[in-house]
Amino acid sequence: MNLFDGLKNAIADATREVKVQHILVDKQSEAVDLRRRLEKEGLDSFGSFAQQYSTCGSSKKTPTAKMSQLRGEPGELVFRPGSMDKAFEKAAFDAAPLNTLWGPVKSKFGYHLMVV
């Protein structure tokens, strides 16, 4: 690999983004209970669960919000490497397959359930 390829790969890695929809709760038992309920009801319920149970401000997002910071699905976050809690970020970037339920993932903020 030459210098150009190395630089190109470094830029690509630094600018990649992940889109996560998540639910943040304080207790692991809450996250486990919500996960069980989501598994029964299906991922179509994720947004309403985020609005109802998540303690994260992102749970207040709506697709029709006028302010761009509040526009999106409830619980939605879009971010690049190095901008989130390390445990949460690692889980989000490592998640495979996509569009499946992940967690609970413990971070310094609490316990997350996520769909990437």
Side-chain angles (χ1 to χ4, degrees):
M1 173 168 31
N2 63 34
L3 179 63
F4 176 75
D5 289 335
L7 184 58
K8 184 172 97 175
N9 291 340
I11 290 170
D13 192 49
T15 58
R16 71 186 169 127
E17 289 184 332
V18 66
K19 179 179 172 183
V20 174
Q21 195 173 6
H22 82 119
I23 298 170
L24 173 65
V25 293
D26 294 328
K27 298 179 183 173
Q28 185 177 15
S29 59
E30 291 175 274
V32 169
D33 179 55
L34 287 172
R35 181 182 174 104
R36 284 190 194 120
R37 292 175 56 198
L38 279 164
E39 287 172 340
K40 286 181 185 172
E41 294 190 31
L43 291 181
D44 290 340
S45 302
F46 198 93
S48 62
F49 273 58
Q51 286 177 321
Q52 190 170 0
Y53 300 107
S54 184
T55 60
C56 181
S58 66
S59 67
K60 308 300 183 249
K61 288 186 174 185
T62 62
T64 58
K66 291 184 180 184
M67 291 179 57
S68 62
Q69 300 92 325
L70 299 175
R71 195 174 312 123
E73 295 301 318
E76 180 181 282
L77 299 171
V78 179
F79 57 91
R80 291 184 174 155
S83 60
M84 292 290 183
D85 175 87
K86 292 205 182 291
F88 180 79
E89 185 176 292
K90 179 172 177 19
F93 278 101
D94 290 351
L98 300 178
N99 297 314
T100 57
L101 183 60
W102 289 92
V105 174
K106 184 172 179 7
S107 77
K108 65 182 177 184
F109 302 105
Y111 293 87
H112 306 263
L113 296 176
M114 63 176 70
V115 176
V116 180

